[in-house]
């Protein structure tokens, strides 16, 4: 079990930097001094402004206030905030809510909002150039040059993209069940697990033979369509669990997910592009079979993203003074 160590006191005269990582499930803020020592932390619920901008902005403000408690907010001279769904800040009403949260915390330095791809890459390596692949609920690939995003592939959301993501795995799992029911075929291990996950009220022994093929199919369709589509990503662990038990359908889905993600990388990365590849997200993780297949495929250095908020804080140090973006400070911030 990890033990929380007390945060060192900031230098009285030195400037501070702020790093943020705003995702769909959590909002995290770190304050560090110019030597890379963390002097403040704050956390709250999800901060992705795409779906729920008001609550995301409120969570952002809460995390900022917690991180800055006992500190002089005006001493923060540089900030980098990584945000999933940052395109939503293009809406004036959403931007105003986040600005209110920022200024309400007493911060005077302008916030530098960047995408989660850049933060993920910086959390995995201090190298300036390389490639980053995020595969969690959604999926996205980015090419990074001099710590900045040069171009991307994918990342268009569940309706238009997210191939190989957790959402894709969940959707394809449900589709495989519906196909089996249409053809009056028995459900395999994955199919039974999907029915149990989507229709828990039917009990763990629900089968088309007992429930009726059409009735079970219609209930699945009705239930899935009554929920936010992105919730299909919650079935990704079900696919992974069935894969581990040698279910043929699950194994085919895992293999195809890895292929789709690798194809997305191939659309972006050329042979002249150098630097490590950083993998981030639960689907691309080291313990995920999808992530393992991706690591086996790519030659060269493949790294795993670490603490996103640490990566953002390290980038903020570099923005304050490029000389502070050292490998030592990188290790200190992302491996805490």
């Amino acid at each position: 079990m990890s033990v929380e160590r007390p945060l060192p006191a900031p230098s009285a005269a030195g400037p501070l930097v702020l790093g943020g990582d705003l995702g769909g499930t959590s909002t995290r803020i770190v304050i560090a001094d110019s030597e890379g020592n963390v002097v403040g932390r704050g956390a709250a619920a999800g901060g992705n402004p795409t779906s729920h901008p008001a609550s995301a902005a409120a969570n952002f403000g809460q995390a900022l206030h917690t991180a800055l408690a006992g500190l002089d907010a005006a001493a923060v001279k540089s900030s980098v905030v990584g945000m999933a769904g940052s395109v939503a800040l293009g809406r004036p009403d959403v931007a105003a809510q986040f600005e209110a949260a920022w200024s309400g915390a007493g911060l005077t330095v302008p916030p530098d909002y960047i995408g989660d791809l850049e933060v993920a890459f910086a959390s995995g390596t201090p190298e300036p150039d390389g490639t980053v692949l995020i595969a969690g609920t959604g999926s996205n690939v980015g090419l990074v040059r001099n710590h900045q995003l040069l171009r991307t592939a994918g990342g268009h959301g569940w309706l238009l993209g997210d191939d190989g993501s957790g959402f894709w795995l969940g959707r394809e799992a449900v589709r495989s069940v519906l196909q089996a029911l249409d053809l009056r075929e028995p459900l395999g291990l994955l199919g039974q697990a999907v029915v149990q996950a989507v229709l828990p009220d039917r009990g763990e022994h629900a089968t088309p033979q007992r429930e009726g093929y059409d009735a079970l199919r219609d209930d699945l369709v009705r239930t899935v369509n009554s929920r936010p589509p992105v919730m299909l990503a919650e079935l990704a662990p079900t696919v992974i669990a069935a894969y581990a038990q040698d279910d043929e359908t699950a194994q085919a889905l895992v293999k195809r997910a890895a292929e789709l993600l690798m194809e997305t990388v191939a659309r972006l990365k050329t042979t002249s592009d150098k630097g490590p590849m950083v993998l981030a997200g639960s689907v691309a993780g080291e313990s995920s079979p999808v992530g393992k297949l991706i690591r086996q495929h790519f030659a060269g250095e493949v790294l795993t993203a670490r603490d996103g908020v640490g990566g953002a804080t390290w980038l903020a140090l570099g923005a304050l003074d490029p000389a502070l973006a050292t490998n030592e400070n990188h290790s200190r911030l992302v491996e805490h």
Side-chain angles (χ1 to χ4, degrees):
M1 182 177 68
S2 62
V3 178
E4 279 291 327
R5 290 173 292 182
L7 299 176
S11 169
L16 302 177
V17 300
L18 181 150
D21 186 17
L22 280 60
T25 58
S26 67
T27 297
R28 295 181 301 149
I29 302 294
V30 159
I31 311 296
D33 64 20
S34 59
E35 296 179 354
N37 298 307
V38 175
V39 297
R41 296 187 193 277
N48 185 330
T50 301
S51 302
H52 305 287
S55 61
N59 293 334
F60 184 38
Q62 177 186 336
L64 288 171
H65 278 90
T66 302
L68 289 163
L71 302 173
D72 179 9
V76 176
K77 301 301 182 183
S78 174
S79 75
V80 172
V81 180
M83 179 188 295
S86 58
V87 66
L89 294 182
R91 290 170 44 189
D93 59 324
V94 177
Q97 293 177 71
F98 273 77
E99 171 56 30
W102 185 262
S103 59
L107 292 157
T108 56
V109 64
D112 183 8
Y113 295 113
I114 64 174
D116 50 356
L117 282 168
E118 292 153 284
V119 168
F121 183 79
S123 77
T125 177
E127 292 296 319
D129 306 331
T131 310
V132 56
L133 162 64
I134 296 179
T137 298
S139 62
N140 201 0
V141 179
L143 199 61
V144 177
R145 288 292 174 269
N146 194 27
H147 303 296
Q148 295 184 339
L149 201 58
L150 184 62
R151 60 181 186 271
T152 65
H156 306 309
W158 64 265
L159 181 61
L160 301 174
D162 285 347
D163 293 339
S165 66
F167 168 84
W168 184 93
L169 283 169
R171 184 191 64 189
E172 294 304 307
V174 173
R175 292 180 68 181
S176 72
V177 175
L178 295 176
Q179 181 178 10
L181 293 172
D182 285 342
L183 298 176
R184 301 300 196 261
E185 295 177 348
L187 300 182
L189 177 65
L190 175 61
Q192 294 171 13
V194 167
V195 169
Q196 184 179 349
V198 177
L199 303 172
D201 293 342
R202 284 178 173 263
E204 58 181 296
H205 301 296
T207 65
Q209 290 82 2
R210 193 181 80 176
E211 307 288 328
Y213 286 91
D214 292 342
L216 194 55
R217 179 197 62 202
D218 293 348
D219 276 359
L220 276 171
V221 171
R222 183 165 44 249
T223 301
V224 168
N225 281 311
S226 69
R227 301 172 178 174
V230 74
M231 287 183 66
L232 282 170
E234 296 178 358
L235 292 173
T238 303
V239 178
I240 301 303
Y243 174 93
Q245 298 179 63
D246 297 326
D247 179 86
E248 290 185 5
T249 302
Q251 291 189 334
L253 291 181
V254 164
K255 180 182 177 182
R256 184 56 183 152
E259 290 173 348
L260 287 169
L261 292 169
M262 291 185 291
E263 288 169 9
T264 305
V265 173
R267 291 203 306 270
L268 184 71
K269 187 177 180 181
T270 67
T271 55
S272 63
D273 294 319
K274 306 302 180 182
M277 173 179 290
V278 174
L279 303 186
S282 58
V283 175
E286 291 177 307
S287 61
S288 164
V290 178
K292 290 178 180 178
L293 289 172
I294 294 172
R295 286 170 173 80
Q296 291 170 10
H297 174 80
F298 285 107
E301 189 177 13
V302 180
L303 306 172
T304 301
R306 306 295 292 272
D307 187 0
V309 72
T313 308
W314 183 76
L315 289 174
L317 272 177
L320 179 68
D321 183 346
L324 299 176
T326 63
N327 289 5
E328 180 182 0
N329 279 340
H330 184 270
S331 297
R332 181 181 294 123
L333 288 166
V334 304
E335 297 177 5
H336 66 79

